[in-house]
Amino acid sequence: MYSDRILNADLSQKVITSEEAASFFKDKMVIASSGFTKAGDSKAVLAALAVRAKIDPLKVTLITGASLGHDTDAALVEAEALSLRLPFQVDRTLRKAINKGEVLFIDQHLGETANLLKANNFPKIDIAILEAIRINEDGSIVPTTSVGNSASFAELADKIIIEINTKVPFSLCGLHDIFSTGTYPNRTEIPITNASTRIGSDCIPIDINKIIGVVITEIIDSPAEIAPADESTMAISKHLINYFTDEVKKGNLTNSLMPLQAGIGKVANAVLNGFLDSDFENLTMYSEVLQDSTFDLLDSGKMTFASGSSITVSEAYYHRIFNDFDKYKDKVVLRPQDISNAAEVIRRLGVISINTALECDLYGNVNSTHVAGTDMMNGIGGSGDFARNAYLSIFVTQSVAKNNTISRIVPMVSHTDHNEHDVDIIVTEQGLADLRGLAPRQRAVAIIENCVHPLYKAQLQDYYDRAVARGGHTPHILEEAFSWYQLQKETGTMQRLCELV
Amino acid sequence: MYSDRILNADLSQKVITSEEAASFFKDKMVIASSGFTKAGDSKAVLAALAVRAKIDPLKVTLITGASLGHDTDAALVEAEALSLRLPFQVDRTLRKAINKGEVLFIDQHLGETANLLKANNFPKIDIAILEAIRINEDGSIVPTTSVGNSASFAELADKIIIEINTKVPFSLCGLHDIFSTGTYPNRTEIPITNASTRIGSDCIPIDINKIIGVVITEIIDSPAEIAPADESTMAISKHLINYFTDEVKKGNLTNSLMPLQAGIGKVANAVLNGFLDSDFENLTMYSEVLQDSTFDLLDSGKMTFASGSSITVSEAYYHRIFNDFDKYKDKVVLRPQDISNAAEVIRRLGVISINTALECDLYGNVNSTHVAGTDMMNGIGGSGDFARNAYLSIFVTQSVAKNNTISRIVPMVSHTDHNEHDVDIIVTEQGLADLRGLAPRQRAVAIIENCVHPLYKAQLQDYYDRAVARGGHTPHILEEAFSWYQLQKETGTMQRLCELV
């Protein structure tokens, strides 16, 4: 059985049920799972673990590539099975538990988790669960719709369970490019000089003796949910496209720009869709997540190649793309996340990085993670890997939220994920502020003028003027810097409705 | 004249006085100068520019490698000659002008200035002033005690003035390793795999037609002023040496550790001196600034090789080292600062990075630059280049300052240069907190327990307990987060002298 999926005869004897696999886990274990932004995650074994934990309690550490699909995190939280989770999540139930302190969470640059694990300062991984298309004769596996941290997990884990997903077609074999930088002190260069450079193998090497079970599933990835573009996101997209057009006119960029990276979400998606009707040509992508818009750009011929760590698409796109994947075979590559997000490659290629800010401040500092400085939203993800090393580091956000009661541009961000040193451009539906080569006081003027919603413009200008009157390189009124959050808490809006002093 | 210093006959006709050189500058020009932490800076021409500006006013932008010596920045400020300064400074007079808003300042990762300039989004450099030991027949130059951004300036500037420093001995020829990553979209790898790898040329190529004048000087570098070690810095050093010793015992590091980087200042110097009496061997350094302690380690045989971008030493060491430099020729290399501080190399080599924090907070966020969130001290320098990409990112600070009235560990830093994602270890004279693999609430416990001064321990614990009671992934009481600064302003101390609520 499954002779086309399990090419090693010994391993074909190790096929077990997900319930049997779940019985391998013990309290306090460190478990790793494949999965990056809902793609290529463990669907059967982690779900079975949640079921088991309800009957036979245990608490584990769970490390993934990025977020999981199928409400797996929620099921594990509800079973009280998680003690520590890293490096990223997007689950509503898990988020609540994290913010209550019931589950500890390490929010981490997605490009750096492999480094943390390889440096031996984190407990060893007991069991890794890796989704695969196929197990080769030598025990190596072909991953499915993501690579994430799977190659590192395979290297580091004591034991491994493979989830063979029979719904993922063989046509994806050859999509992946697995490369390891080696271990200190003999780490090597990552010889990628173009988004399309292939430097490794098409499968993940595994010590066959580590494999303790093979589980068969036919559950496909959770679909990406992409909110449709609206007036506001289309305005952001238009500002950016106009900006790129101007840069081409000035001779700073060619008509192919530089390799693009875009975060997840409706704003980033709208921006990428904006390229469809543009004059740009031969675009490439060096990103983490390949979304619907990536495949639209490939289909249109506007984009020639896309490199990522996962393919996370909506349900309709999933079937369209994977039922005819040979079409994309020479246009797409999936890499380990310490390669897709490597500082070295991002800097060398000169990536144009576009990520969403939760809020930003007068001076261009960006908060990507914490609501009111305290509650975790999702995590920093790969935004810092890209923003720090990009040729152009762009953050997009709508200028207001929640029926205009929240300004996304505040006097001082309540949590700093990306500071002034790493943020080149801020775009809202109001306009675009190019902060490169500007001192803080010039940055403030550019942001107030171009990005702030009219409802908050006078109020922010007033804060800035009074701060400047006190002086400083980065003028602030510390005792008032966070007052907008307090105001919103007390009155329901950040808008100061009384007369400006 | 100077036939051994100027090997090109045409250029030997271009020797001019510094006053003549100063006459080339015009209002609003962008000027670049060699110089990195006081080493290899323009001593004659910038000084003459300051003199001229007092009589014939002009305002210019000044870009350097890092800080200048000889009070040059102060002289330029006093002559009202600076409109914009980047990317780093340590001058008291300039600092005041920056904080008053009289001089604009761009505080920048030292590894990234070359990128900013090469991306064409900053005004073109009109004139670069470069200190050299010698001009070769083809117009290329051998720099002196630093490389800094000089190779980039030589490539990008319209015109160039060379300052030949006849006091710098020829024995420094061969010390430098000049390499350019090229321009987008054809940037190349930086093939350094060891602190000692040489990848480039020993001189900076210059288009000979750009050279508009050669000025001769015999002024040596300003000496580094290093405060002597005291009980507190020695305690910090001891905690770190003990930590490294434990890591070797655990098998996480070898007895040679990994290449070291250390910031400037008495704490970093004390830490490096701590290695002298240790059991470590065959240490190497991949850093920015090579200081007195580096040469002590080389002399002792404890260190086998040191790579930097400048040699910045005290007066006694200056003479000792440069009068007998052949001794160090095969043990030291100076590189352009976009190579010494390259993310790619720092990550690949696995640098252990040790930098000084101005303050840090409960969760391990670090402020390196701003006093009370507002006034610039020196700048971020290279600390971010190293902290983000290091194998181990360590920040050191004394737990209290100004006669115990200021705690260097605060509830929330007033400015974030390095956030929780990039800070692995915090060390004060009280102890060491290893934050790797810890969630924010665990980080807080470790920092309060190990790093906070007894005078502030209960007060910080009280803040943390009340924040945790409110909840959150990173518990904070926003309206109180900066209250310690206010308290200090009002009462002269951050210590809450009334009873804890």
Side-chain angles (χ1 to χ4, degrees), chain B residues 26-72:
Chain B
K26 295 193 168 56
D27 192 38
K28 293 190 179 135
M29 270 192 171
V30 176
I31 299 175
S33 170
S34 61
F36 194 98
T37 47
K38 298 186 180 182
D41 53 341
S42 157
K43 283 101 173 167
V45 179
L46 284 181
L49 172 64
V51 172
R52 179 208 137 174
K54 282 205 171 178
I55 306 155
D56 178 16
L58 82 175
K59 272 196 192 290
V60 301
T61 292
L62 177 60
I63 315 173
T64 54
S67 55
L68 298 174
H70 296 287
D71 299 324
T72 301

Coordinates of all heavy atoms in Angstrom, one line a residue, chain B residues 26-72:
Chain B
K26 N 31.5 74.9 -1.3 CA 30.5 75.9 -1.6 C 29.3 75.6 -0.7 O 29.1 74.5 -0.2 CB 30.0 75.9 -3.0 CG 31.1 76.3 -4.0 CD 30.5 76.6 -5.4 CE 31.6 77.2 -6.3 NZ 32.8 76.5 -6.4
D27 N 28.5 76.7 -0.4 CA 27.3 76.5 0.4 C 26.4 75.4 -0.2 O 26.3 75.2 -1.4 CB 26.5 77.8 0.3 CG 25.4 77.9 1.4 OD1 25.6 77.3 2.5 OD2 24.3 78.4 1.1
K28 N 25.8 74.6 0.7 CA 24.9 73.5 0.4 C 25.5 72.3 -0.2 O 24.8 71.4 -0.6 CB 23.8 74.0 -0.5 CG 22.9 75.0 0.2 CD 21.6 75.3 -0.6 CE 20.8 76.3 0.1 NZ 20.2 77.4 -0.7
M29 N 26.8 72.2 -0.2 CA 27.5 71.1 -0.8 C 27.3 69.9 0.2 O 27.1 70.0 1.3 CB 29.0 71.3 -1.0 CG 29.4 71.9 -2.3 SD 31.2 71.8 -2.5 CE 31.3 72.3 -4.3
V30 N 27.4 68.7 -0.4 CA 27.5 67.4 0.3 C 29.0 67.0 0.4 O 29.6 66.8 -0.7 CB 26.6 66.3 -0.3 CG1 26.8 65.0 0.5 CG2 25.2 66.8 -0.3
I31 N 29.5 67.0 1.6 CA 31.0 66.7 1.7 C 31.1 65.3 2.5 O 30.3 65.1 3.4 CB 31.6 67.8 2.5 CG1 31.5 69.1 1.8 CG2 33.1 67.4 2.8 CD1 32.1 70.3 2.5
A32 N 32.0 64.5 2.0 CA 32.3 63.3 2.7 C 33.7 63.3 3.2 O 34.6 63.9 2.6 CB 32.0 62.1 1.8
S33 N 33.9 62.7 4.4 CA 35.3 62.6 4.9 C 35.6 61.2 5.4 O 34.7 60.6 6.0 CB 35.5 63.6 6.0 OG 36.7 63.4 6.7
S34 N 36.8 60.8 5.2 CA 37.3 59.6 5.9 C 37.3 59.8 7.4 O 37.1 60.9 7.9 CB 38.7 59.3 5.5 OG 39.6 60.3 5.8
G35 N 37.4 58.7 8.1 CA 37.4 58.9 9.6 C 36.4 57.9 10.2 O 35.2 57.8 9.8
F36 N 36.8 57.1 11.1 CA 36.0 56.1 11.8 C 36.5 56.1 13.3 O 37.6 55.8 13.5 CB 36.1 54.7 11.2 CG 35.1 53.8 11.6 CD1 34.0 53.5 10.8 CD2 35.2 53.0 12.8 CE1 33.0 52.6 11.1 CE2 34.2 52.1 13.1 CZ 33.1 51.9 12.3
T37 N 35.6 56.5 14.2 CA 35.9 56.5 15.6 C 37.3 57.2 15.8 O 38.2 56.6 16.4 CB 35.9 55.2 16.4 OG1 36.6 54.2 15.6 CG2 34.5 54.7 16.6
K38 N 37.4 58.4 15.3 CA 38.6 59.3 15.5 C 39.8 58.9 14.7 O 40.8 59.6 14.7 CB 39.0 59.3 17.0 CG 38.0 59.9 17.9 CD 38.6 60.0 19.3 CE 37.7 60.6 20.3 NZ 38.4 60.7 21.6
A39 N 39.7 57.7 14.0 CA 40.9 57.3 13.3 C 40.8 57.6 11.8 O 39.8 57.4 11.2 CB 41.1 55.8 13.5
G40 N 42.0 58.0 11.3 CA 42.0 58.2 9.8 C 41.1 59.3 9.3 O 40.7 59.3 8.1
D41 N 40.8 60.3 10.1 CA 39.9 61.4 9.7 C 40.7 62.5 9.0 O 41.9 62.5 9.1 CB 39.1 61.9 10.9 CG 40.0 62.3 12.1 OD1 41.2 61.9 12.1 OD2 39.6 63.1 12.9
S42 N 40.0 63.4 8.4 CA 40.6 64.6 7.8 C 41.0 65.5 9.0 O 40.1 66.0 9.7 CB 39.6 65.3 6.9 OG 39.9 66.7 6.8
K43 N 42.2 65.8 9.1 CA 42.7 66.7 10.2 C 42.9 68.1 9.7 O 42.7 69.1 10.4 CB 44.0 66.2 10.8 CG 43.8 65.0 11.7 CD 44.2 63.7 11.0 CE 44.2 62.6 12.0 NZ 44.3 61.3 11.3
A44 N 43.4 68.3 8.4 CA 43.7 69.6 7.9 C 42.6 70.3 7.2 O 42.3 71.5 7.5 CB 44.9 69.5 7.0
V45 N 42.0 69.6 6.3 CA 41.0 70.3 5.4 C 39.7 70.6 6.1 O 39.2 71.8 6.0 CB 40.7 69.4 4.1 CG1 39.7 70.1 3.2 CG2 42.0 69.2 3.4
L46 N 39.2 69.7 6.9 CA 37.9 70.0 7.6 C 38.2 71.1 8.6 O 37.4 72.0 8.8 CB 37.4 68.8 8.3 CG 36.6 67.8 7.4 CD1 36.1 66.6 8.3 CD2 35.5 68.4 6.7
A47 N 39.4 71.1 9.3 CA 39.7 72.2 10.2 C 39.8 73.5 9.5 O 39.3 74.5 10.0 CB 41.0 71.9 10.9
A48 N 40.4 73.5 8.3 CA 40.5 74.8 7.5 C 39.1 75.2 7.0 O 38.8 76.4 6.9 CB 41.4 74.5 6.3
L49 N 38.2 74.2 6.8 CA 36.9 74.6 6.4 C 36.2 75.3 7.5 O 35.4 76.3 7.3 CB 36.1 73.3 6.0 CG 34.6 73.5 5.7 CD1 34.3 74.4 4.5 CD2 33.9 72.1 5.5
A50 N 36.4 74.9 8.7 CA 35.7 75.5 9.9 C 36.3 77.0 10.0 O 35.5 77.9 10.3 CB 36.0 74.7 11.2
V51 N 37.6 77.1 9.8 CA 38.1 78.5 9.9 C 37.5 79.4 8.8 O 37.1 80.5 9.1 CB 39.7 78.4 9.8 CG1 40.3 79.8 9.6 CG2 40.3 77.7 10.9
R52 N 37.5 78.8 7.6 CA 37.0 79.6 6.5 C 35.5 80.0 6.7 O 35.1 81.1 6.5 CB 37.1 78.8 5.2 CG 36.5 79.6 4.0 CD 36.0 78.7 2.9 NE 34.7 79.2 2.4 CZ 34.1 78.7 1.4 NH1 34.5 77.7 0.8 NH2 32.9 79.2 1.0
A53 N 34.7 79.1 7.3 CA 33.3 79.3 7.4 C 33.0 80.4 8.4 O 31.9 81.1 8.3 CB 32.6 78.0 7.9
K54 N 33.9 80.7 9.3 CA 33.7 81.8 10.2 C 33.8 83.2 9.5 O 33.2 84.1 9.9 CB 34.8 81.8 11.3 CG 34.4 80.7 12.3 CD 35.1 81.0 13.7 CE 34.5 80.0 14.7 NZ 35.1 80.2 16.1
I55 N 34.6 83.2 8.4 CA 34.8 84.4 7.7 C 33.8 84.5 6.5 O 33.2 85.5 6.2 CB 36.2 84.5 7.1 CG1 37.2 84.3 8.2 CG2 36.5 85.8 6.4 CD1 38.6 83.8 7.8
D56 N 33.7 83.4 5.8 CA 32.9 83.3 4.6 C 31.8 82.2 4.8 O 32.1 81.0 4.5 CB 33.9 82.9 3.5 CG 33.2 82.7 2.1 OD1 32.0 83.2 2.0 OD2 33.8 82.1 1.2
P57 N 30.7 82.5 5.4 CA 29.7 81.5 5.8 C 29.2 80.6 4.8 O 29.0 81.0 3.6 CB 28.6 82.4 6.4 CG 29.2 83.7 6.6 CD 30.2 83.9 5.6
L58 N 29.1 79.3 5.1 CA 28.5 78.3 4.3 C 27.9 77.2 5.2 O 28.4 77.1 6.3 CB 29.4 77.8 3.2 CG 30.5 76.7 3.6 CD1 31.2 76.3 2.4 CD2 31.4 77.1 4.7
K59 N 27.0 76.5 4.7 CA 26.4 75.3 5.4 C 26.5 74.1 4.5 O 26.0 74.1 3.4 CB 25.0 75.6 5.9 CG 24.9 76.3 7.2 CD 23.5 76.3 7.8 CE 23.3 77.2 8.9 NZ 24.0 76.8 10.1
V60 N 27.0 73.0 5.1 CA 27.2 71.8 4.3 C 26.6 70.6 5.0 O 26.4 70.6 6.2 CB 28.7 71.6 4.0 CG1 29.3 72.7 3.2 CG2 29.5 71.3 5.2
T61 N 26.4 69.6 4.2 CA 26.1 68.2 4.8 C 27.5 67.5 4.9 O 28.3 67.5 4.0 CB 25.2 67.4 3.8 OG1 23.9 68.0 3.8 CG2 25.1 66.0 4.2
L62 N 27.7 66.9 6.1 CA 28.9 66.2 6.3 C 28.7 64.7 6.6 O 28.0 64.4 7.6 CB 29.8 66.8 7.4 CG 31.1 66.1 7.7 CD1 32.0 66.0 6.5 CD2 31.8 66.8 8.9
I63 N 29.2 63.8 5.7 CA 29.1 62.4 5.9 C 30.5 61.8 6.2 O 31.4 62.2 5.6 CB 28.6 61.7 4.6 CG1 27.4 62.5 4.0 CG2 28.2 60.2 4.9 CD1 27.0 61.9 2.6
T64 N 30.5 61.0 7.2 CA 31.8 60.3 7.6 C 31.7 58.8 7.7 O 30.6 58.3 7.3 CB 32.3 60.9 8.9 OG1 31.2 60.6 9.9 CG2 32.6 62.3 8.9
G65 N 32.7 58.2 8.1 CA 32.6 56.8 8.5 C 31.8 56.7 9.8 O 30.7 56.2 9.9
A66 N 32.5 57.2 10.8 CA 31.8 57.3 12.1 C 32.3 58.7 12.8 O 32.3 59.7 12.1 CB 32.1 56.1 13.0
S67 N 32.7 58.6 14.0 CA 33.0 59.9 14.7 C 34.4 60.4 14.2 O 35.3 59.7 13.8 CB 33.0 59.7 16.2 OG 33.9 58.7 16.6
L68 N 34.6 61.7 14.4 CA 35.8 62.4 14.0 C 36.6 62.8 15.3 O 36.0 62.9 16.4 CB 35.5 63.7 13.3 CG 34.8 63.6 11.9 CD1 34.4 65.0 11.4 CD2 35.6 62.8 10.9
G69 N 37.9 63.0 15.2 CA 38.7 63.4 16.3 C 38.9 64.9 16.3 O 38.2 65.6 15.6
H70 N 39.9 65.3 17.1 CA 40.4 66.7 17.1 C 39.3 67.8 17.2 O 39.5 68.9 16.7 CB 41.1 66.9 15.7 CG 42.4 66.1 15.6 ND1 43.5 66.3 16.4 CD2 42.6 65.0 14.9 CE1 44.4 65.4 16.1 NE2 43.9 64.5 15.2
D71 N 38.2 67.5 17.8 CA 37.1 68.5 18.0 C 36.7 69.1 16.7 O 36.2 70.2 16.6 CB 37.6 69.6 19.0 CG 37.9 69.0 20.4 OD1 37.2 68.1 20.8 OD2 38.8 69.5 21.0
T72 N 36.9 68.4 15.6 CA 36.5 68.9 14.3 C 35.1 69.2 14.2 O 34.6 70.2 13.7 CB 37.0 67.9 13.2 OG1 38.4 67.7 13.3 CG2 36.6 68.4 11.8

